[in-house]
Amino acid sequence: MTHTRILMLAAACLPLLASAQATSGAADADAKVAPPAYRSAFADFRPLEEPAATPDKAWLQANQALAGQSGHSMHMPMQMETMAPADKPKAEAAEDPHKGHHMHMKEK
């Protein structure tokens, strides 16, 4: 049992020992390096082309184009017909207000 604990402790400390080692190939502080190259993020920028019509004119043109189409507008004509009020049947006083509820349950 104690050998297992020692082995687990050694396995847990192994990464700590590996990171504590000094690097053998340290870089020379006086070494010459190339200067960083700068490239602007806007180097390939192309300005947006001006639209042929202003947004308000484009909106008017789109509305005029859609006004001539039949589309779904004719599916339900907007004619209101007057209907006589329906006579409500009189509810019986002894009628159960919960009649028909829970019809999927079996009665016991």
Side-chain angles (χ1 to χ4, degrees), residues 4 10 15 28 31 35-36 40 45-46 53-54 57 71 78 84 87 101 105-106:
T4 309
D28 183 18
S40 174
F45 177 75
R46 290 181 297 161
T54 59
K57 302 287 190 224
M78 300 302 280
D87 293 331
H101 290 206
M105 301 176 88
K106 294 181 180 179

Side-chain angles (χ1 to χ4, degrees), residues 41-65:
F42 298 105
D44 297 330
F45 177 75
R46 290 181 297 161
L48 183 64
E49 295 176 10
E50 291 294 324
T54 59
D56 59 332
K57 302 287 190 224
W59 181 75
L60 287 173
Q61 290 172 354
N63 279 349
Q64 290 170 353

